Structure formats: C-alpha cells, structure tokens
C-alpha cells in the first residue's frame, strides 16, 4: 500500500463514514472505491465498486472503474467482461472502449486493440488517450500513415503528455521524417519520458 497524503486520508475517512451512515448509497460506495484505488488499496476498491454494482446494476461508471482495477490486478477476463457490460450502460462509452483496447493490446491482439481505440475516438473525438493508444497499436500493426494521423491528434489534445510526443516521434520515424521525429522525441524526453534505447539509436543513424 502506498503512502497517502492528508487530503486523501481525509477523503477516505469521510466516505467510509458516509458508507456506514448510508449503506444503500451507490455514490458513496463508488467514490470510496475510487479513493481506495488512488491510495493503492485495490482489493478494497474492488469490493466497494462491486457493492455499488450490487446496489445499481446499471451503474456504468462503476463497471468501467472496477474493470480498470481488475486490469491492474491482472484479472483480464474479469476486466474485459466488466467493460463490455459498461458499453451497454454508458451514453458515452469511450473509456470502456479504451479499456477493452488495452486488454487486447496486453494480450497481443493488436488489430482488435486498434478497433477498440477507433470506436473510442468515434464516441469522443476529444479523448486524447484514445488517440495516443491508437497510434501505439497502429505502429505495431504497421499502419504508419494511420499512426501518424492518430499521434498528431494525440499531441494536439495532450501537448503536455510525454508518451504522446514519443508516439509521434516513432510514427514520424516510420514515415521517414527523421528531423521532426528527433524534435518530438526531445519534447518527450524533456517531459520525463524514457524512450526505448534501440529507437533512439535507430533514429540517430538516420540523422
């Protein structure tokens, strides 16, 4: 369990008290699950989100967040099932599609990951992480032109996200724009990203 700050500890105490006082409150159990997750208390977070779903089996956000926790715990089948349930409950299921894409990507099913990320961008074109992840999967699939467009969108929406700049650098490299690739890689490094050494070496050889 990681160390938590005073503000997070206070939020946990408040929500624990609310759950005791209002045991049928979906909102209280859901939010306590979220702060438990933030504190690294994954098993307790899962229990609270499961309780929220017991109280309201149409609580789409609880399905999504519980699925994300199970993904962190390595329980991929459970994570996939929960995110698929969320698709039927949420008006805007972009996050569920991204989560499903991550599961497929983790399992090496990259085309399925691409399909899931693309669905996320359709539901929410302004969801930067969907574009960043889509670029990653497209690069692995060899769709370098598609990856370039996705990566540029990811940087446009998340200019302060180091991984977005790294993905754009990789896409630019495979599209033979080595000078701009170096510039984007420098931005990623400046934001704290640690690039793959083999990629850095390959790029340097082209400059």
């Amino acid at each position: 369990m990681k160390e938590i700050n005073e503000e997070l500890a206070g939020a946990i105490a408040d929500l624990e008290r609310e759950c005791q006082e209002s045991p049928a409150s979906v909102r209280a159990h859901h939010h306590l699950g979220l702060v438990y997750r933030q504190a690294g208390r994954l098993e307790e977070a899962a229990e609270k989100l499961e309780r929220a779903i017991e109280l309201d089996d149409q609580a789409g956000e609880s399905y999504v967040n519980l699925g994300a926790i199970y993904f962190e715990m390595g329980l991929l089948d459970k994570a996939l099932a929960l995110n698929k349930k969320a698709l039927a409950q949420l008006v805007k299921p972009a996050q569920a599609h991204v989560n499903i894409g991550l599961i497929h990507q983790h399992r090496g099913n990259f085309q399925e990951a691409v399909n899931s990320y693309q669905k996320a961008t359709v539901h929410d074109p302004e969801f930067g992480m969907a574009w960043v992840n889509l670029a990653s999967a497209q690069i692995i699939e060899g769709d370098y032109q598609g990856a370039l467009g996705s990566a540029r969108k990811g940087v446009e929406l998340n200019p302060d996200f180091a991984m977005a700049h790294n993905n754009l650098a990789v896409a630019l490299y495979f599209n033979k724009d080595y000078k701009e690739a170096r510039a984007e890689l420098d931005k990623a490094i400046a934001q704290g990203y640690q690039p793959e050494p083999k990629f850095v070496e390959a790029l340097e050889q082209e400059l």
Side-chain angles (χ1 to χ4, degrees):
M1 188 185 303
K2 63 184 180 182
E3 293 185 10
I4 61 174
N5 59 34
E6 186 175 338
E7 182 180 357
L8 184 56
I12 289 173
D14 289 344
L15 285 164
E16 287 177 337
R17 183 167 54 252
E18 186 176 350
C19 285
Q20 290 178 346
E21 294 174 352
S22 304
S25 171
V26 176
R27 188 203 68 81
H29 286 88
H30 177 89
H31 286 286
L32 181 54
L34 297 186
V35 294
Y36 275 156
R37 181 188 182 191
Q38 192 176 349
R41 297 163 63 173
L42 296 185
E43 291 187 0
E44 291 169 284
E47 289 176 4
K48 287 301 174 183
L49 288 165
E50 286 169 354
R51 180 56 181 154
I53 290 169
E54 287 176 4
L55 292 166
D56 180 4
D57 63 5
Q58 296 186 17
E61 292 294 338
S62 294
Y63 284 111
V64 168
N65 286 296
L66 181 56
I69 289 169
Y70 280 140
F71 180 79
E72 290 180 45
M73 296 171 71
L75 303 172
L76 301 187
D77 288 338
K78 284 188 173 183
L80 184 60
L82 284 161
N83 279 287
K84 285 183 175 179
K85 286 183 179 179
L87 296 178
Q89 306 296 342
L90 295 171
V91 175
K92 295 182 178 180
Q95 183 65 63
H97 282 299
V98 166
N99 290 355
I100 290 169
L102 286 169
I103 295 166
H104 287 312
Q105 191 162 343
H106 188 79
R107 287 176 161 169
N109 302 325
F110 297 108
Q111 186 54 58
E112 291 182 54
V114 166
N115 293 341
S116 293
Y117 296 141
Q118 286 176 331
K119 289 175 183 176
T121 65
V122 170
H123 284 284
D124 185 358
E126 302 301 305
F127 190 5
M129 184 56 71
W131 292 103
V132 172
N133 289 353
L134 176 56
S136 295
Q138 287 172 318
I139 288 167
I140 294 170
E141 280 289 284
D143 179 10
Y144 302 132
Q145 192 64 41
L148 183 58
S150 299
R152 286 196 188 282
K153 188 70 175 178
V155 167
E156 175 189 332
L157 294 168
N158 296 82
D160 298 323
F161 184 35
M163 184 179 171
H165 289 285
N166 178 77
N167 286 1
L168 180 52
V170 175
L172 286 161
Y173 169 84
F174 282 112
N175 282 277
K176 304 187 185 305
D177 191 340
Y178 305 119
K179 184 176 180 180
E180 189 181 353
R182 180 71 250 188
E184 289 298 327
L185 186 61
D186 287 343
K187 291 177 184 177
I189 293 171
Q191 292 178 355
Y193 193 85
Q194 295 184 344
E196 171 61 45
K198 289 183 179 180
F199 171 64
V200 177
E201 181 181 351
L203 179 56
E204 289 298 327
Q205 290 177 354
E206 298 293 346
L207 293 171

